[in-house]
Amino acid sequence: YQIVLDAIDANGYIVGSNDVWINVKYPNVEVSAGPNQTLYLDRKSDGTWQAPGDFMGSVLGMTPTRVEWSVFAVDENADANTVVITLPESNLTSITFNKFGIYQVHFSAWGYTPSLGEIPLGTGVCAVYVNYRQVEIDAGNPITINSDHAPATGSLKGKILSGQVDAVQWLFCD
């Protein structure tokens, strides 16, 4: 469960906010969303960026009757609304992220007892860091321009050695 703490000023405006997650679990049951992951965005042919990842949840101590994956944005860069979960009600799923940032992936499990009906067994959480791939570029060899009048012109030849980018630009540093 997500619990939010708001700080409110004398005029009734929220001036600060923070949240905490509370994991309610059944005794002697361990629920895991798997290890933390770092994923890298790749540019697709249609111009969109995607970072797919495979996730395997597990439940030890009791057989679940139902499981479910969910994703939450942790920082201001992340956007959980753009995330696609392929099999949200399976132990094994693929999740595709379309925006860089930090996410929490939750794997929740429920069981059944005759006396209580459906009960929450717990939620496993893993952190997912979605980044752009490191790009390596080369600005080329230094050039010397000999000119006694303006404008002086020259030719620069930079190149991308590895990675993908949408655009490049030259900046003049005076």
Side-chain angles (χ1 to χ4, degrees):
Y1 299 97
Q2 181 182 19
I3 306 295
V4 178
L5 173 66
D6 290 333
I8 302 169
D9 68 10
N11 296 319
Y13 295 105
I14 296 175
V15 294
S17 185
N18 200 345
D19 63 358
V20 64
W21 287 90
I22 298 174
N23 185 15
V24 179
K25 69 177 206 132
Y26 200 71
N28 303 314
V29 174
E30 292 297 323
V31 180
S32 172
N36 296 341
Q37 295 190 37
T38 299
L39 302 175
Y40 295 98
L41 290 162
D42 285 320
R43 188 167 186 205
K44 301 299 172 194
S45 59
D46 64 0
T48 61
W49 293 86
Q50 291 183 348
D54 293 326
F55 296 82
M56 178 175 250
S58 63
V59 181
L60 301 174
M62 187 174 190
T63 302
T65 55
R66 181 168 69 94
V67 297
E68 183 177 281
W69 291 96
S70 54
V71 178
F72 299 89
V74 174
D75 69 2
E76 67 277 357
N77 298 314
D79 184 358
N81 295 321
T82 65
V83 172
V84 177
I85 304 172
T86 305
L87 298 169
E89 296 179 354
S90 172
N91 284 36
L92 179 62
T93 192
S94 291
I95 303 176
T96 301
F97 300 83
N98 298 312
K99 195 162 188 288
F100 78 95
I102 302 171
Y103 298 83
Q104 278 187 346
V105 173
H106 291 208
F107 178 71
S108 299
W110 291 266
Y112 181 83
T113 65
S115 60
L116 299 173
E118 185 175 73
I119 55 170
L121 299 178
T123 298
V125 178
C126 70
V128 178
Y129 306 93
V130 178
N131 295 311
Y132 288 102
R133 289 197 185 277
Q134 184 65 34
V135 175
E136 187 179 355
I137 59 174
D138 180 5
N141 295 322
I143 63 170
T144 300
I145 302 172
N146 294 316
S147 178
D148 57 359
H149 63 282
T153 61
S155 179
L156 300 171
K157 295 186 188 220
K159 62 183 170 183
I160 299 169
L161 301 175
S162 66
Q164 299 170 322
V165 296
D166 289 324
V168 296
Q169 67 180 2
W170 289 97
L171 299 174
F172 181 74
C173 303
D174 188 13

